[in-house]
């Protein structure tokens, strides 16, 4: 679910998306950066057991503007599929810099077990296959082990991470925490089988699993230098990924593709999601409408055409906003999307 290309647009859509981001999502980053002191601006990466599973964790911590620590707020960001937390480092770094609150703030995110081994010591990797349900339970464990009971908690998700948040809310799995805000970015939460990407990849990997496995293993055999050059070119020409972030993002993609068991884990929960993400859970959205904001993109190939436009028309009391970015915004518009989410996050 990490691909950034829309079937309706190609290079033209990429240019239009970039122009829209540049003109409509930009705020004064210099001012925001000056006002917020971030401890270790690249974030702190650690490998720990979460719910008994080896997990890469990325954290940013900010100091209050006045230097006096007051009520700490916790932000938990749940990535999309594949759950490679490092891919979101530019976004989360920018989010920490662009958020202004009077108290201090801790932003935490996690990899999906079995998806991301780039920083895990040899022998500690999770080689099992994990279902969508097991990934959801992993996020429950992460929150319970990271956020003290009774603390202010902000939940932000991307793509399938938004579905996981919806499940946590629906199941009342976070009753020990004060959930004050919920942000859903490019959410994949319903009718996934009807999306352009779902109709393309679902039948391939569900009905022809051996073909899918052969493709995955075949790609892993390409020389790393070849994959790196191809993706670097795509990131430059199609996504216009900023030079500052491009080398590390390209390396993450190539590393992921050369680990077939990681790709199979991502494909497995992708197929699982196509089966399970059916009817939109309007009841949960209604229950949390005063705390929840949805940011959707009309060029999202993992969402049925017009789904969020129709939802906004039927439920005018929902906070639904749009912007023009590709689904995998972290690969090309991390700073710009952070500039949108930052002010929203500041108001807690």
């Amino acid at each position: 679910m990490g691909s950034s290309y829309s079937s309706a647009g190609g290079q033209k859509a990429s240019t239009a998306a970039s122009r829209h981001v540049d003109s409509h999502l930009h705020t004064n980053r210099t001012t925001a950066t000056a006002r917020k002191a971030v401890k270790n601006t690249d974030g702190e990466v650690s490998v720990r057991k979460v719910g008994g599973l080896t997990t890469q964790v990325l954290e940013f911590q900010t100091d209050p503007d006045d230097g006096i620590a007051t009520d700490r707020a916790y932000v938990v960001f749940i990535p999309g599929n594949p759950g490679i937390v490092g891919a979101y480092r530019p976004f989360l770094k920018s989010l920490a810099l662009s958020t202004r609150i009077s108290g201090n703030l801790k932003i935490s995110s996690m990899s999906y077990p079995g998806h991301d081994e780039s920083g895990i010591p040899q022998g500690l990797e999770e080689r099992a296959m994990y279902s969508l349900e097991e990934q959801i339970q992993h996020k429950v464990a992460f929150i319970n082990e990271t956020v003290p009971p009774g603390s202010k908690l902000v939940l932000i998700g991307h793509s399938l991470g938004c579905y996981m948040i919806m499940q946590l809310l629906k199941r009342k799995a976070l009753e020990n925490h004060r959930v004050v805000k919920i942000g859903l970015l490019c959410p994949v939460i319903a009718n996934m089988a009807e999306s352009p990407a779902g109709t393309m990849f679902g039948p391939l990997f569900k009905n022809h699993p051996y073909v899918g496995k052969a493709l995955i293993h075949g790609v892993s055999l390409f020389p790393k230098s070849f994959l790196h050059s191809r993706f670097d070119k795509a990131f430059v020409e199609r996504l216009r990924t900023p030079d500052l972030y491009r080398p590390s993002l390209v390396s993450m993609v190539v590393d992921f593709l050369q680990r077939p068991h990681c790709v199979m884990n991502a494909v497995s929960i992708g197929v699982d999601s196509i089966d399970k993400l059916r009817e939109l859970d309007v009841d949960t959205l209604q229950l949390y409408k005063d705390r929840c904001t949805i940011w959707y993109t009309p060029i999202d190939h993992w969402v049925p055409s017009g789904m969020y436009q129709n939802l906004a028309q039927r439920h005018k009391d929902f906070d639904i906003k749009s912007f023009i970015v590709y689904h995998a915004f972290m690969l090309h518009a991390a700073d710009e999307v952070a500039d949108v989410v930052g002010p929203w996050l500041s108001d807690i």
Side-chain angles (χ1 to χ4, degrees):
M1 294 174 62
S3 174
S4 290
Y5 307 107
S6 168
S7 58
Q11 179 68 38
K12 184 177 180 181
S14 174
T15 304
S18 299
R19 283 203 303 265
H20 185 97
V21 165
D22 291 341
S23 61
H24 293 284
L25 302 186
H26 184 74
T27 59
N28 191 332
R29 301 193 55 77
T30 303
T31 302
T33 303
R35 292 195 174 200
K36 182 59 60 180
V38 179
K39 295 180 179 179
N40 188 353
T41 56
D42 288 326
E44 296 181 1
V45 180
S46 61
V47 176
R48 67 182 73 160
K49 290 289 186 179
V50 175
L53 300 176
T54 304
T55 306
Q56 288 200 69
V57 177
L58 175 62
E59 295 178 312
F60 292 85
Q61 184 172 322
T62 66
D63 289 327
D65 297 338
D66 56 10
I68 302 174
T70 56
D71 186 20
R72 168 175 283 183
Y74 291 81
V75 177
V76 172
F77 177 82
I78 302 181
N81 179 31
I84 304 174
V85 69
Y88 294 89
R89 185 196 295 266
F91 168 67
L92 295 175
K93 175 181 178 178
S94 293
L95 184 61
L97 292 171
S98 63
T99 301
R100 309 175 198 176
I101 62 174
S102 58
N104 57 357
L105 179 72
K106 186 172 185 179
I107 301 175
S108 302
S109 187
M110 77 302 290
S111 63
Y112 289 17
H115 287 216
D116 185 4
E117 296 181 351
S118 57
I120 296 178
Q122 188 173 3
L124 296 180
E125 306 96 333
E126 295 292 342
R127 293 302 178 98
M129 298 295 291
Y130 296 98
S131 67
L132 177 59
E133 178 59 31
E134 288 171 319
Q135 294 290 353
I136 293 172
Q137 292 302 322
H138 174 260
K139 308 311 174 282
V140 175
F142 180 86
I143 293 172
N144 287 335
E145 295 173 16
T146 303
V147 182
S151 301
K152 283 184 181 178
L153 173 60
V154 177
L155 297 171
I156 303 177
H158 171 236
S159 186
L160 189 61
C162 299
Y163 175 78
M164 295 186 186
I165 288 175
M166 294 279 289
Q167 287 298 303
L168 301 186
L169 298 173
K170 181 179 181 179
R171 302 176 189 188
K172 303 187 184 302
L174 305 175
E175 290 192 322
N176 292 332
H177 306 286
R178 287 189 292 150
V179 179
V180 295
K181 279 207 167 190
I182 303 152
L184 307 181
L185 294 165
C186 307
V188 175
I189 54 179
N191 302 318
M192 188 175 167
E194 300 173 18
S195 69
T199 57
M200 179 185 299
F201 293 108
L204 171 62
F205 288 101
K206 185 177 180 180
N207 301 330
H208 308 284
Y210 293 107
V211 174
K213 288 181 180 179
L215 289 173
I216 290 169
H217 283 275
V219 170
S220 73
L221 297 176
F222 280 104
K224 181 174 290 187
S225 59
F226 172 80
L227 292 174
H228 195 281
S229 65
R230 298 299 295 177
F231 277 98
D232 188 69
K233 182 178 181 180
F235 276 35
V236 171
E237 296 180 356
R238 298 194 180 188
L239 295 181
R240 298 172 65 184
T241 304
D243 293 341
L244 179 63
Y245 305 138
R246 192 178 71 252
S248 62
L249 290 173
V250 170
S251 294
M252 286 179 202
V253 171
V254 172
D255 182 82
F256 172 72
L257 291 175
Q258 293 201 311
R259 299 177 189 264
H261 57 282
C262 291
V263 181
M264 284 304 304
N265 252 307
V267 169
S268 177
I269 68 165
V271 173
D272 201 7
S273 301
I274 290 175
D275 286 338
K276 292 180 178 177
L277 273 64
R278 297 294 182 177
E279 185 176 352
L280 181 63
D281 184 4
V282 177
D283 290 341
T284 298
L285 290 174
Q286 185 74 44
L287 186 62
Y288 290 92
K289 65 180 181 180
D290 294 332
R291 286 175 271 177
C292 182
T293 298
I294 294 173
W295 287 278
Y296 77 92
T297 170
I299 59 171
D300 195 333
H301 53 288
W302 286 104
V303 174
S305 177
M307 188 177 91
Y308 288 110
Q309 294 92 322
N310 295 335
L311 181 65
Q313 290 177 358
R314 296 196 310 269
H315 297 273
K316 298 187 183 301
D317 53 341
F318 287 6
D319 187 13
I320 301 176
K321 308 177 187 297
S322 69
F323 48 25
I324 306 296
V325 294
Y326 286 126
H327 181 79
F329 70 86
M330 65 283 188
L331 300 182
H332 74 101
D335 291 339
E336 294 82 1
V337 173
D339 283 338
V340 171
V341 180
W344 168 88
L345 179 58
S346 301
D347 184 24
I348 56 175

mmCIF file of all heavy atoms in Angstrom, residues 98-117:
data_model
loop_
_atom_site.group_PDB
_atom_site.id
_atom_site.type_symbol
_atom_site.label_atom_id
_atom_site.label_comp_id
_atom_site.label_asym_id
_atom_site.label_seq_id
_atom_site.Cartn_x
_atom_site.Cartn_y
_atom_site.Cartn_z
ATOM 1 N N SER A 98 6.993 21.636 13.686
ATOM 2 C CA SER A 98 5.926 22.570 13.319
ATOM 3 C C SER A 98 4.798 22.641 14.333
ATOM 4 O O SER A 98 3.834 23.374 14.145
ATOM 5 C CB SER A 98 5.347 22.188 11.953
ATOM 6 O OG SER A 98 4.741 20.905 12.006
ATOM 7 N N THR A 99 4.913 21.888 15.429
ATOM 8 C CA THR A 99 3.855 21.851 16.433
ATOM 9 C C THR A 99 4.195 22.794 17.575
ATOM 10 O O THR A 99 5.290 22.763 18.123
ATOM 11 C CB THR A 99 3.679 20.424 16.991
ATOM 12 O OG1 THR A 99 3.349 19.561 15.906
ATOM 13 C CG2 THR A 99 2.576 20.371 18.020
ATOM 14 N N ARG A 100 3.225 23.625 17.939
ATOM 15 C CA ARG A 100 3.436 24.577 19.025
ATOM 16 C C ARG A 100 2.417 24.304 20.124
ATOM 17 O O ARG A 100 1.224 24.509 19.930
ATOM 18 C CB ARG A 100 3.263 26.013 18.533
ATOM 19 C CG ARG A 100 4.070 26.342 17.298
ATOM 20 C CD ARG A 100 3.743 27.732 16.812
ATOM 21 N NE ARG A 100 4.171 27.922 15.436
ATOM 22 C CZ ARG A 100 3.944 29.028 14.741
ATOM 23 N NH1 ARG A 100 3.278 30.013 15.278
ATOM 24 N NH2 ARG A 100 4.370 29.133 13.500
ATOM 25 N N ILE A 101 2.872 23.849 21.252
ATOM 26 C CA ILE A 101 2.003 23.661 22.404
ATOM 27 C C ILE A 101 2.712 24.191 23.640
ATOM 28 O O ILE A 101 3.929 24.321 23.658
ATOM 29 C CB ILE A 101 1.614 22.182 22.624
ATOM 30 C CG1 ILE A 101 2.862 21.327 22.894
ATOM 31 C CG2 ILE A 101 0.826 21.631 21.449
ATOM 32 C CD1 ILE A 101 2.536 19.903 23.259
ATOM 33 N N SER A 102 1.950 24.509 24.668
ATOM 34 C CA SER A 102 2.546 25.092 25.862
ATOM 35 C C SER A 102 3.263 24.047 26.709
ATOM 36 O O SER A 102 4.212 24.357 27.417
ATOM 37 C CB SER A 102 1.464 25.780 26.705
ATOM 38 O OG SER A 102 0.452 24.841 27.065
ATOM 39 N N GLY A 103 2.810 22.799 26.653
ATOM 40 C CA GLY A 103 3.468 21.737 27.405
ATOM 41 C C GLY A 103 4.460 20.996 26.548
ATOM 42 O O GLY A 103 4.734 21.377 25.411
ATOM 43 N N ASN A 104 5.048 19.934 27.069
ATOM 44 C CA ASN A 104 5.979 19.172 26.239
ATOM 45 C C ASN A 104 5.248 18.029 25.547
ATOM 46 O O ASN A 104 4.152 17.633 25.917
ATOM 47 C CB ASN A 104 7.186 18.686 27.046
ATOM 48 C CG ASN A 104 6.781 17.834 28.236
ATOM 49 O OD1 ASN A 104 5.607 17.638 28.511
ATOM 50 N ND2 ASN A 104 7.762 17.312 28.937
ATOM 51 N N LEU A 105 5.886 17.527 24.514
ATOM 52 C CA LEU A 105 5.231 16.609 23.594
ATOM 53 C C LEU A 105 6.159 15.444 23.286
ATOM 54 O O LEU A 105 7.358 15.625 23.097
ATOM 55 C CB LEU A 105 4.897 17.352 22.300
ATOM 56 C CG LEU A 105 4.218 16.585 21.167
ATOM 57 C CD1 LEU A 105 2.761 16.300 21.538
ATOM 58 C CD2 LEU A 105 4.276 17.402 19.885
ATOM 59 N N LYS A 106 5.601 14.255 23.241
ATOM 60 C CA LYS A 106 6.367 13.084 22.835
ATOM 61 C C LYS A 106 5.637 12.408 21.683
ATOM 62 O O LYS A 106 4.462 12.056 21.793
ATOM 63 C CB LYS A 106 6.535 12.104 23.993
ATOM 64 C CG LYS A 106 7.456 10.928 23.668
ATOM 65 C CD LYS A 106 7.748 10.103 24.896
ATOM 66 C CE LYS A 106 8.766 9.009 24.596
ATOM 67 N NZ LYS A 106 9.085 8.208 25.794
ATOM 68 N N ILE A 107 6.335 12.251 20.570
ATOM 69 C CA ILE A 107 5.781 11.607 19.389
ATOM 70 C C ILE A 107 6.455 10.252 19.241
ATOM 71 O O ILE A 107 7.688 10.156 19.200
ATOM 72 C CB ILE A 107 6.009 12.446 18.122
ATOM 73 C CG1 ILE A 107 5.361 13.826 18.263
ATOM 74 C CG2 ILE A 107 5.477 11.729 16.887
ATOM 75 C CD1 ILE A 107 5.646 14.769 17.111
ATOM 76 N N SER A 108 5.659 9.207 19.168
ATOM 77 C CA SER A 108 6.198 7.844 19.071
ATOM 78 C C SER A 108 5.543 7.105 17.909
ATOM 79 O O SER A 108 4.356 7.266 17.647
ATOM 80 C CB SER A 108 5.929 7.060 20.362
ATOM 81 O OG SER A 108 6.484 7.715 21.483
ATOM 82 N N SER A 109 6.351 6.296 17.244
ATOM 83 C CA SER A 109 5.825 5.449 16.180
ATOM 84 C C SER A 109 6.579 4.128 16.195
ATOM 85 O O SER A 109 7.618 3.994 16.849
ATOM 86 C CB SER A 109 5.951 6.126 14.817
ATOM 87 O OG SER A 109 5.305 5.373 13.810
ATOM 88 N N MET A 110 6.047 3.176 15.456
ATOM 89 C CA MET A 110 6.582 1.813 15.515
ATOM 90 C C MET A 110 6.542 1.134 14.150
ATOM 91 O O MET A 110 5.755 1.492 13.285
ATOM 92 C CB MET A 110 5.768 0.992 16.520
ATOM 93 C CG MET A 110 4.409 0.507 16.036
ATOM 94 S SD MET A 110 3.239 1.786 15.476
ATOM 95 C CE MET A 110 2.829 2.579 17.024
ATOM 96 N N SER A 111 7.419 0.167 13.982
ATOM 97 C CA SER A 111 7.343 -0.686 12.799
ATOM 98 C C SER A 111 6.301 -1.771 13.028
ATOM 99 O O SER A 111 5.868 -2.010 14.152
ATOM 100 C CB SER A 111 8.707 -1.320 12.523
ATOM 101 O OG SER A 111 9.091 -2.161 13.609
ATOM 102 N N TYR A 112 5.903 -2.413 11.949
ATOM 103 C CA TYR A 112 5.075 -3.606 12.059
ATOM 104 C C TYR A 112 6.000 -4.814 12.233
ATOM 105 O O TYR A 112 6.976 -4.945 11.477
ATOM 106 C CB TYR A 112 4.267 -3.842 10.780
ATOM 107 C CG TYR A 112 3.128 -2.906 10.490
ATOM 108 C CD1 TYR A 112 2.986 -1.681 11.115
ATOM 109 C CD2 TYR A 112 2.180 -3.259 9.526
ATOM 110 C CE1 TYR A 112 1.936 -0.830 10.807
ATOM 111 C CE2 TYR A 112 1.127 -2.422 9.206
ATOM 112 C CZ TYR A 112 1.012 -1.204 9.840
ATOM 113 O OH TYR A 112 -0.028 -0.370 9.520
ATOM 114 N N PRO A 113 5.732 -5.686 13.176
ATOM 115 C CA PRO A 113 6.550 -6.899 13.294
ATOM 116 C C PRO A 113 6.575 -7.677 11.973
ATOM 117 O O PRO A 113 5.541 -7.876 11.336
ATOM 118 C CB PRO A 113 5.838 -7.703 14.388
ATOM 119 C CG PRO A 113 5.121 -6.672 15.206
ATOM 120 C CD PRO A 113 4.694 -5.622 14.223
ATOM 121 N N GLY A 114 7.768 -8.073 11.560
ATOM 122 C CA GLY A 114 7.911 -8.844 10.335
ATOM 123 C C GLY A 114 8.015 -8.024 9.072
ATOM 124 O O GLY A 114 8.199 -8.578 7.988
ATOM 125 N N HIS A 115 7.913 -6.673 9.186
ATOM 126 C CA HIS A 115 7.951 -5.825 7.999
ATOM 127 C C HIS A 115 9.275 -5.097 7.819
ATOM 128 O O HIS A 115 9.632 -4.734 6.706
ATOM 129 C CB HIS A 115 6.839 -4.769 8.061
ATOM 130 C CG HIS A 115 5.478 -5.304 7.833
ATOM 131 N ND1 HIS A 115 4.503 -4.600 7.165
ATOM 132 C CD2 HIS A 115 4.905 -6.480 8.176
ATOM 133 C CE1 HIS A 115 3.380 -5.322 7.126
ATOM 134 N NE2 HIS A 115 3.615 -6.471 7.736
ATOM 135 N N ASP A 116 9.959 -4.812 8.908
ATOM 136 C CA ASP A 116 11.103 -3.905 8.857
ATOM 137 C C ASP A 116 12.247 -4.481 9.680
ATOM 138 O O ASP A 116 12.178 -4.523 10.903
ATOM 139 C CB ASP A 116 10.682 -2.540 9.414
ATOM 140 C CG ASP A 116 11.768 -1.491 9.284
ATOM 141 O OD1 ASP A 116 12.821 -1.798 8.695
ATOM 142 O OD2 ASP A 116 11.557 -0.354 9.765
ATOM 143 N N GLU A 117 13.312 -4.913 8.995
ATOM 144 C CA GLU A 117 14.451 -5.514 9.691
ATOM 145 C C GLU A 117 15.730 -4.711 9.518
ATOM 146 O O GLU A 117 16.797 -5.129 9.961
ATOM 147 C CB GLU A 117 14.687 -6.938 9.178
ATOM 148 C CG GLU A 117 13.552 -7.899 9.470
ATOM 149 C CD GLU A 117 13.855 -9.303 8.966
ATOM 150 O OE1 GLU A 117 14.856 -9.455 8.247
ATOM 151 O OE2 GLU A 117 13.094 -10.223 9.289
#
